[in-house]
Every structure is written in C-alpha cells, then in structure tokens.
Amino acid sequence: MANAERSVRGSTAADSRIGAARAALWLFAAVLAVRQTATVLTSPPGERLTDLGTWIGENGVLHVPGSLYDEGRFTGTPFAGLVLKPLARSAEQSLGVAWTFGTLLLVVVLGLVAARALPIPVSRRSTLLAAPVAISLLMLSLPVRNSFHLGQTSIIPVLLVLLGCLAARGERPAGLLIGVGAALQPTVLLFAPLLWFTGRRRAAVTSAGTFAALSALAWAAMPGDSWAYWVHHVAGAGLGESPDSLANQSLHGALLRFGLEGPLEIAVYLLLASAVVLFGLRRAVRYAHDGQLLLAVALTGCVAVAVSPTAWQHQVLWVLLAVVGRVGRRASDRMLWPVLVVLTVTLPGKMLLPNLTVLHPVRENALLVAALAAACAVPFLRLDSPYFRRPVPTEYAAPAPARWARVPLLPFWRRVLSRPNLLLELLVIRVGYSVYSHIRAAATGSVAAAEEHARQIHSVEGALGIDIEHWVNQAVVRTEWLEAFFDFYYTSFHFLVPLSILGVLYVRRPSDYRWARASLAFATVLALLGFWLYPLAPPRLMPGMGFIDTVHGPQDLANPDYGAMTAVTNQYAAMPSLHFGWSLWCGLIVLVLAPRLWMKLLGLLHPLFTVCAIVATANHWVLDAAGGAAVVGAGFGLTYVLAGRRELTVPARSVPSARSADADDADDKATAAARV
C-alpha cells in the first residue's frame, strides 16, 4: 500500500513537471512567433518581403507583360506563376500582414504534422513536448526566417509532402498533394520513387501524373515561359542569384565554387548526383520499411537539396527534419546529431567553424554537408536496435555533502564521470565562443562614455595609490627585451593555456573537466554584463595620458574608431579583463588539481605574467584585473551553489530498473493505441 502511494505521488509529480515544461515550451514558441511576425511587419516596406515584392509588386514580374523570366528575378516554376498571377492584385493590397500570418500558420501546421509523425515507440513525455519543440526549432531555423523575411513560398512544398506522406488518408489524395508540391518545386518529384518502393505505387503514379498534368496546364497557358524555364534555364538552374554564390547549397553550387566549369563540371555533378540519389533513396526506403517514415521523408528531402541545380537557403528545411533520427549507442553521444543539425540550420557557417583555410570548404557548404551526411552517411539506429530506446547509460556521481542544505541548488544537475562526446564538446565550445564574440562586439558604448569611465577608474586608482600603469608602460618601453616578452605573452597565451588545461582535464580527469568548464563559462557570461554596463577605454586609447600601445602600434586617437582594430573586436570591453580572468582561472585550476608542488607554482606564474603584460602593454587598468578576478570568483561560486562541491562520492550507475522498463513499454503501447 505504501509503495502504491509513493508510486502515485511520483507519477503525479512527474506529470506536473511535464505539464510545466510543456507550458514553458509553448510560451517560448509563442514568443518566437510574435517576435518573428513583429520583425517582418515593423520593417520598412522596401526591406521586407523583398522577393515577394519583385513578383507581385507594382513593377513585379507578374504584372509586367512578357516572359516571367526575362529579368531572372522570378525563380518559381511556370505553374507557380500561373497560380500567383491571379492573386497578384489582391496580394498587393495586403502585402505584409496576410502573407506573414499565412506563413506563420503554415509553420505551425508543419510543426504539428512533424510532431505527430514521430516513430513508435515514443514516450509520453516526447509526445507531449514534441509539438512546441518542433515549432520552436522551425521558427529559429534559417530557412523559415528567410521565408518570413523574403516572402518565399518554399514552406508550401515541404508541408504538402508531409501531409501527403504522413497525414493523407488514401493513396490518391497523397499523390495529389505531392504532385502539387512537385509542380511548385520539381525536385519534390523524388518522393515518387520513395512511395513506389515502399508499396504505395498508386500514390507514386498519382503524384507523377499530377505533376505532369499541372506542368502541361502551365505549358498550354504560358508556352513561352515554360520553354524559358524548362529548356533555356534547365528547370530554373540559371535563375535568381549567381549559381556559384554561397546561397546555393547544392552539389552544383559547390562544384562551381571549387572552380569546375563547363562540361567537366556537368559530368561530375551528374555522376555525384546519381550516386546521392541511389544511396539516399535506398536508405530512405530502408528506414520507411523500419517504421521511421518521418526520417525517410527527411532523408529524401536531403537528397533533393543535394541534387537540385539550385538549393537556396530558404529551400533546405528538409535538413532540420532529419533531427528525428537517433544516432549513437551511448546516452552521452545521443545529443550529438540533433545539436549538430540544429546549429547548422540556425547559425551561419562562420559561427560553426573557425576561419581556417583548410576548413573553408566545409564552412562554406555547411548545409550541403549536413544534407549529404543525413542522406548517405549517418548511421541512424533502427527501431529493432536494443539501443534505440535504452542506450548505454551514463555514469553519474552524487556530490559530496555541502555545508548548506540548499547546495546544490539544482539537484538534477548531476555530475558525470565519463568523458563527454568530443565532437559535441568542440562544437559547443566553438559556438559558445562565437556567440560571446558577437555579444562582446555589440556591447559598444559611446567614446565619451568609455573615456569618462576610464577617467573614473584612473581617479579611483590614484586615491588607492595603485595608478602604476603609466610608470610600468614607460619602463617596459625603455627595455626592448622586456617589451618584446610582454607583447609576445599578451598575444600568444590568452587562448592557448585555457584550451590546454581543458584538454588535459578532458583526457585525465573528465569529472573535474565538467566542473572547470562550467566555472569558466559562468565567468565569461558575467564578464559580458560588465562590457554592456560599463564600457571602458583602455589606457592605450586615452588621449593626452602618454600611454604607448606596444602591441597594436600607434593609434589615431583623432579617429573615433581608433583604427582597424575596431573592426576586429570591441575596443571598450576592458572591464573586467578576461585576459587576466582566464589566466587566474588557469592558475587556480592548476593549484587545486595539480599533483606536484612545482606544477602548482608553475601554474601560478601564468596569472602573474598576464597581469604584468596587460598593464605593461597599456591594454588594461589595474582595476580591470580586479574585475577579472571578481567574475572568476563568481564563476566558481555559481558552480558551487548550483552543482555542489567539486569532490564526488561513490558513483552510482544510472541503470533503468525493471519497473521503469515495464512502465516505458506500457507507455509505448498506450501511445500506439491512441494513434490508431
């Protein structure tokens, strides 16, 4: 009886947590929708729905006599032009409001359809949370954001395919929906083979017949336009932007960017496209037979993205749908694929990878690489795999008892003993630093405010008797070897030492790695608040004080931008000094974790040399270093309050019990019955 009561209370608590999470996710999705709609509607008329304006505007191609493709601005099929022309006048009157809310409605329906198509078995929690998560991811993705901003129709073919493959009752309606989608975007016709080889042959024939009929209708009504589109421009390949631009994320665009041209490029493109179609469709059919129809649809869409002559950014929504595939036997690896897909589809390539020449081919073709990987390479788990629902569990450890009862404040933040997935870790660190750099660069204040704050800092230091920056700077300038040493130290060790320490901890002490990484992340986020709230000019940018910039060279203080360095970083992000803060973090980590005394002493030399370097090179005030120390201390403090002490107790393996396994099986059966 007591066990039953505890079980009921546990189930009620779990339901309440799921309900709260669901409400929060729906609120988040609503906020994203409102923000996206407001961004479009509040933009000046000439800066919103620009593609739609070139079609149906006063001088748009749908109003101008002659061919739709004379100026190359209209990139749709002749059937799309045939459909849009009668709507041009009415759409003109409501250009903005109706189109934006219509796009929003399409995104919501798309998210709901995708959420209901998750492969069984699926937990009750996933069923309840899938819809708001799907809609939120769609709102954040680059294809949807571009469709909102440009006024594109690329969401419609994706929705038609999902409705035809996943929601339509009957083969004929499914084929009609996919055929209409193919008439709007020809590569959608690749779904006809998927239907054929998965046993839905009537739907496949209907889709191909619908596409042929609608294209023939458009040819009869607009013969000149149809000839220009299908023959002269080879199914629209020569329309819109230059095909070798970064916006064209297809194999054809990538080959052109690699320098191939003419017959050789066409031959290589046809060869690669044929291979992608063969391997991609075979994998899609295999997963469709396995019961993962949404994944099969996503893989076929990724094939269409890769082999299309032009796949503009607003047309690659299929890549995001591939997030439904499960990859990895270990629980710690399970998040790699979804995080990789979401980041690729929501962030520009320059934020995902560093600016290294060797990485440019991947960086410039990130969406294409993701589409090819999903279609041809990623080993998605099958439903009959023992790891599909129950991956190898992660080993957790309980925190050591803390002095205060409220620590750790977040008891669900459990410490992991095993190493995190290396690729996922590198990706998160890279994206995190990119976001930090963008926020730091945006946290600019006026020159007058930055200089006024610098005078305040200098005055406080004078009152405290620590205004030694000018004396140290002049003394170092008079000593050539010392100036060279501090310049080298300032520019060389800021990133090298923290990354090296993180690397050693990752390999040798993974549980301490997570603790150290969290404290560094908190310190960095807190520093961003300082950059926003207190823009501060460093000594080297203060006119009339006689400081010499030994690292960057003479600065033109008459120029408000203070030279080319302003384009690289925020010149007024001096308080707190993360140069010193990160070095202090390194010294404290070595002091706490190093096994030898000489290692501890060597580690403490790094913050000592760093504080000398930032003052000697006139890049920071002494109080900037104090600010860096404060945020590092706060970072360690937050980690302690939220996650508990660094020390851990005996590990407890996270192995699902027989009761929880039976509950999951019962939940799966209930979900399947509800869907039927």
Side-chain angles (χ1 to χ4, degrees):
M1 188 69 178
N3 290 337
E5 290 178 356
R6 281 196 297 269
S7 177
V8 170
R9 285 197 298 269
S11 176
T12 303
D15 289 344
S16 63
R17 287 196 297 268
I18 293 175
R22 190 184 188 198
L25 287 171
W26 274 117
L27 178 62
F28 181 67
V31 170
L32 290 177
V34 171
R35 181 183 180 279
Q36 188 67 260
T37 304
T39 300
V40 175
L41 297 181
T42 56
S43 299
E47 299 178 8
R48 67 184 182 192
L49 307 178
T50 52
D51 283 2
L52 183 63
T54 62
W55 298 352
I56 65 176
E58 183 178 352
N59 298 316
V61 293
L62 296 181
H63 285 308
V64 177
S67 174
L68 293 172
Y69 308 105
D70 284 343
E71 299 182 13
R73 292 184 298 169
F74 186 73
T75 59
T77 63
F79 175 72
L82 186 65
V83 172
L84 285 174
K85 266 196 170 183
L87 302 176
R89 190 63 64 183
S90 59
E92 229 177 84
Q93 306 302 322
S94 59
L95 181 60
V97 179
W99 192 275
T100 301
F101 280 101
T103 303
L104 178 62
L105 178 62
L106 292 177
V107 172
V108 172
V109 175
L110 184 62
L112 293 175
V113 172
R116 288 187 57 83
L118 292 177
I120 297 174
V122 61
S123 66
R124 178 170 174 269
R125 180 178 61 182
S126 298
T127 302
L128 293 175
L129 303 182
V133 170
I135 295 172
S136 298
L137 291 179
L138 288 170
M139 288 293 178
L140 289 171
S141 67
L142 289 172
V144 169
R145 281 151 50 194
N146 279 356
S147 296
F148 268 102
H149 179 70
L150 300 176
Q152 281 286 351
T153 60
S154 53
I155 297 176
I156 297 176
V158 178
L159 180 58
L160 291 174
V161 169
L162 289 184
L163 291 173
C165 291
L166 306 173
R169 297 184 179 274
E171 299 296 280
R172 182 171 295 177
L176 288 172
L177 289 169
I178 295 174
V180 173
L184 295 172
Q185 190 173 318
T187 50
V188 169
L189 200 59
L190 283 171
F191 286 90
L194 176 66
L195 295 173
W196 180 273
F197 290 114
T198 54
R200 304 177 65 179
R201 298 190 173 182
R202 180 175 296 178
V205 173
T206 303
S207 63
T210 303
F211 166 75
L214 294 178
S215 299
L217 175 64
W219 197 294
M222 308 164 66
D225 293 327
S226 297
W227 176 269
Y229 181 85
W230 292 109
V231 179
H232 181 65
H233 291 293
V234 192
L239 299 173
E241 298 183 49
S242 175
D244 63 348
S245 69
L246 293 179
N248 182 13
Q249 289 290 302
S250 70
L251 281 171
H252 178 53
L255 292 174
L256 291 175
R257 288 191 290 274
F258 287 148
L260 295 181
E261 295 180 349
L264 176 61
E265 187 273 331
I266 295 175
V268 174
Y269 163 67
L270 292 176
L271 179 63
L272 293 177
S274 301
V276 171
V277 169
L278 176 63
F279 287 108
L281 288 184
R282 285 184 62 183
R283 280 165 49 87
V285 171
R286 188 183 311 128
Y287 287 111
H289 285 309
D290 185 50
Q292 301 186 65
L293 186 54
L294 178 58
L295 178 60
V297 170
L299 299 189
T300 306
C302 289
V303 172
V305 169
V307 304
S308 177
T310 53
W312 308 118
Q313 197 173 67
H314 55 82
Q315 296 173 331
V316 297
L317 194 55
W318 302 108
V319 178
L320 180 60
L321 296 179
V323 77
V324 299
R326 295 191 181 183
V327 185
R329 295 183 176 184
R330 299 190 307 165
S332 58
D333 298 333
R334 192 55 64 85
M335 289 303 297
L336 173 60
W337 174 247
V339 169
L340 186 63
V341 170
V342 170
L343 292 180
T344 302
V345 180
T346 56
L347 298 177
K350 63 182 180 180
M351 293 187 67
L352 299 175
L353 295 169
N355 188 22
L356 300 176
T357 304
V358 69
L359 296 177
H360 282 179
V362 179
R363 178 170 153 164
E364 295 175 353
N365 302 284
L367 287 170
L368 172 61
V369 171
L372 289 173
C376 303
V378 178
F380 298 108
L381 294 175
R382 297 171 62 89
L383 290 181
D384 57 2
S385 169
Y387 303 104
F388 188 87
R389 282 297 310 278
R390 295 178 180 87
V392 177
T394 301
E395 293 185 1
Y396 294 100
R403 181 175 301 176
W404 295 283
R406 293 290 184 180
V407 175
L409 187 61
L410 302 179
F412 57 83
W413 184 355
R414 295 183 291 177
R415 294 281 295 279
V416 181
L417 294 177
S418 59
R419 295 181 185 89
N421 183 282
L422 180 58
L423 183 56
L424 178 60
E425 198 71 11
L426 293 175
L427 184 64
V428 171
I429 290 175
R430 167 61 193 176
V431 172
Y433 181 73
S434 297
V435 173
Y436 158 77
S437 299
H438 279 74
I439 296 176
R440 173 187 167 115
T444 56
S446 67
V447 176
E451 292 181 351
E452 175 59 28
H453 291 159
R455 284 188 283 269
Q456 293 174 4
I457 292 292
H458 189 255
S459 176
V460 172
E461 289 185 351
L464 296 175
I466 58 173
D467 54 335
I468 60 173
E469 294 88 358
H470 188 271
W471 175 81
V472 173
N473 178 243
Q474 296 299 317
V476 168
V477 168
R478 290 193 295 268
T479 310
E480 186 174 345
W481 67 269
L482 200 56
E483 178 184 357
F485 171 76
F486 282 130
D487 288 352
F488 173 77
Y489 205 91
Y490 180 86
T491 57
S492 301
F493 293 96
H494 181 44
F495 297 106
L496 179 62
V497 177
L499 291 177
S500 299
I501 290 176
L502 288 174
V504 171
L505 292 179
Y506 179 88
V507 174
R508 301 294 298 272
R509 308 181 70 159
S511 62
D512 286 328
Y513 165 81
R514 295 174 182 272
W515 166 78
R517 178 199 58 185
S519 61
L520 180 63
F522 282 135
T524 304
V525 171
L526 292 174
L528 289 175
L529 295 177
F531 302 155
W532 274 105
L533 300 176
Y534 200 75
L536 176 66
R540 62 185 178 85
L541 296 183
M542 285 300 292
M545 288 193 174
F547 287 99
I548 298 177
D549 188 347
T550 64
V551 176
H552 309 102
Q555 296 290 311
D556 181 13
L557 299 184
N559 181 355
D561 290 336
Y562 292 151
M565 281 301 297
T566 302
V568 179
T569 184
N570 179 6
Q571 298 291 282
Y572 307 129
M575 172 62 81
S577 169
L578 279 186
H579 250 87
F580 177 71
W582 286 1
S583 69
L584 179 62
W585 174 87
C586 295
L588 293 176
I589 293 295
V590 174
L591 181 65
V592 171
L593 300 179
R596 301 284 188 271
L597 178 60
W598 68 267
M599 295 179 182
K600 299 177 185 290
L601 296 177
L602 184 63
L604 292 177
L605 288 178
H606 180 51
L608 176 61
F609 286 157
T610 300
V611 72
C612 293
I614 63 175
V615 174
T617 58
N619 276 279
H620 284 283
W621 307 94
V622 172
L623 286 181
D624 295 346
V631 295
V632 168
F636 282 113
L638 277 174
T639 305
Y640 174 79
V641 170
L642 298 178
R645 294 169 57 183
R646 180 186 63 85
E647 296 84 357
L648 302 174
T649 58
V650 179
R653 287 183 175 271
S654 177
V655 180
S657 64
R659 186 189 63 78
S660 64
D662 293 340
D664 286 341
D665 293 338
D667 198 18
D668 297 340
K669 293 177 182 178
T671 303
R675 288 191 176 185
V676 173

